[in-house]
Amino acid sequence: MLNTFTSNFKQTAANLLSFLKNPTDSPETDMPTKGKVRELFNLLIIKVLVALVFTGLIWGIEKIGWYKNDVHKVEEMLRSYPIWGSLLFIVVLIPLVEEFVFRFGLKFRRGYFTFLLFVLLLTLGIFAFKMMPILWGLGITVALTVLMVLYLMKAYQIGEFLKRTWTRVYGILFYSVAILFGFIHIFNFTDFDFTSVAILLIPILIGSQIWGGLSMGYMRVKYGFFWGFFLHAAHNAVFMVPFLLFINQLEEKLNIRNENYSLKVEEHFRYDKSAGSSSVIDTDTAAFVNLELNDVIKQLVQASEVSIVDNSESRLKIAVNLYYKSKTADVATTQAAILTELQKLYKFDVTKAEVEREMWDVAIEDNTSLAAHAVAMDSNAATVIRRAKELTIKNANLHELLTILQSDFNVVMANKTTDTNKYNFTFTKKGVAELRSELKEKYGLALKSKMIMTQQALVEFR
């Protein structure tokens, strides 16, 4: 059995290499379905082995520091969709679309050229009517219609000429499509810098995709469109299914221990909103659990208003665990130290400016309503649980409450009370108007508006 497999595998490899030496539009019409399945399986093995080689080369390049890409579009998608959605996109929809765009036209059909000419002339006609005076548009449309009629009158002769030309240039066309297919995948590397030395590494970064274009093109030409699609889908499934099912869901990204503080940052591969999250910032400690990077930054930046700019928004969706312990007992120092390390890790800058905006002075209007939510005094820090439609804050005094609300609702509040008791609070996450109403009616806290000069922070990812 092993000898049979080895023999079949060698034959598939030989057939592929023979085709690649001189690509021709010549389908294999006598191969039974069983033989096609065997060819697909053998080509899949070859494709996976080639992909592993290039993966190893990319890993080596990153290790020696020649190139590093922090975000990949496939990874972004896997973070954003549930497992079933990721599998549907990566194993079915994306291969189907890519095969249609890049390899459906690798077979010669006169009808393809007729259809493409019709679409081109129709597009030109629509463009003429939209961009030119109506008489010009009518004239150009008539000319394009005449051109289409002349083509149809000579369709057979033109088709024969195209077929002869197709045969002569087919090898160039086949390899051009495969290289283009590979090059398109360079845009999966969202941080790729086309002005750097990384350009010289492009053949390695997309080498696996170029080989995929060649092998899937071979399968499409020899056995039909859907056999090329099956090979593409099977390759994606081989890599993605184990990745999704067995990936380490928590990856350590930073672990610093020095004489001043310790800081550990872990990334969740996928943000699970249903699991809830929590955050604590104290004088010498801080902890964020299952919190999006966007919210972590907003809580750390010492400004009344924080605006974050990230073109891809991919990094902002990353959920992190962060644990910090310092020998310095100062909240501002704690926030600044953590923010400095996160700036290095996630590559963003923070700039600040003074702006005028609305501020709310918070005072106690109804002690009875507030006291109904009091909890026993203890030394534990406040905890925050964020869900899709609800914000729960436990064991928090009024100063801690307002700090959290300012971050979550993007408002400025000033504590005008002397109350130091601790309470439990729950708010619906609808908007600022609902927040004001709940603070007054549920907790007896009155808010008075005034205009002040505040510090605004702009966070920009590089």
Side-chain angles (χ1 to χ4, degrees), residues 164-348:
R164 292 192 298 272
T165 305
W166 178 268
T167 301
R168 288 197 300 270
V169 303
Y170 189 76
I172 297 173
L173 174 67
F174 182 86
Y175 274 97
S176 298
V177 168
I179 293 171
L180 177 62
F181 174 74
F183 186 79
I184 288 296
H185 286 79
I186 198 64
F187 296 102
N188 284 341
F189 299 91
T190 55
D191 290 337
F192 190 81
D193 183 5
F194 283 96
T195 63
S196 73
V197 71
I199 291 180
L200 301 176
L201 302 175
I202 286 179
I204 295 177
L205 297 176
I206 62 173
S208 176
Q209 286 79 17
I210 292 176
W211 178 259
L214 296 173
S215 56
M216 291 181 295
Y218 166 78
M219 201 71 183
R220 187 271 181 272
V221 172
K222 286 295 184 181
Y223 307 115
F225 172 80
F226 282 102
W227 287 100
F229 162 72
F230 293 151
L231 178 59
H232 196 159
H235 173 267
N236 285 8
V238 165
F239 281 95
M240 287 300 109
V241 171
F243 181 78
L244 287 170
L245 296 181
F246 302 110
I247 185 174
N248 180 7
Q249 295 295 320
L250 202 60
E251 179 185 1
E252 184 176 281
K253 302 297 290 187
L254 189 67
N255 197 335
I256 299 174
R257 293 181 181 274
N258 56 40
E259 65 276 10
N260 297 317
Y261 61 83
S262 64
L263 174 62
K264 182 178 181 180
V265 178
E266 301 171 323
E267 280 188 12
H268 295 260
F269 180 73
R270 184 177 287 105
Y271 178 42
D272 183 5
K273 294 182 180 179
S274 63
S277 58
S278 63
S279 62
V280 176
I281 302 178
D282 212 336
T283 55
D284 60 348
T285 61
F288 301 93
V289 177
N290 193 36
L291 201 65
E292 286 187 330
L293 182 61
N294 176 71
D295 295 321
V296 172
I297 293 172
K298 286 184 176 180
Q299 292 191 43
L300 293 173
V301 175
Q302 299 171 56
S304 302
E305 183 176 348
V306 181
S307 300
I308 301 180
V309 179
D310 179 19
N311 292 332
S312 69
E313 295 189 356
S314 56
R315 284 163 288 201
L316 297 180
K317 296 177 182 178
I318 294 173
V320 301
N321 291 352
L322 186 152
Y323 308 98
Y324 175 87
K325 179 66 177 177
S326 172
K327 295 180 180 179
T328 304
D330 178 70
V331 173
T333 302
T334 293
Q335 291 174 295
I338 298 173
L339 189 64
T340 298
E341 295 299 336
L342 290 183
Q343 285 183 254
K344 297 176 186 176
L345 178 61
Y346 291 108
K347 299 184 178 69
F348 63 88

Side-chain angles (χ1 to χ4, degrees), residues 362-365 370 398-399 402 414-420 445-446:
V362 181
I364 299 175
E365 185 178 73
L370 182 61
L398 293 182
H399 173 75
L402 300 186
N415 185 9
K416 296 301 180 179
T417 74
T418 57
D419 188 291
T420 58
L445 297 174

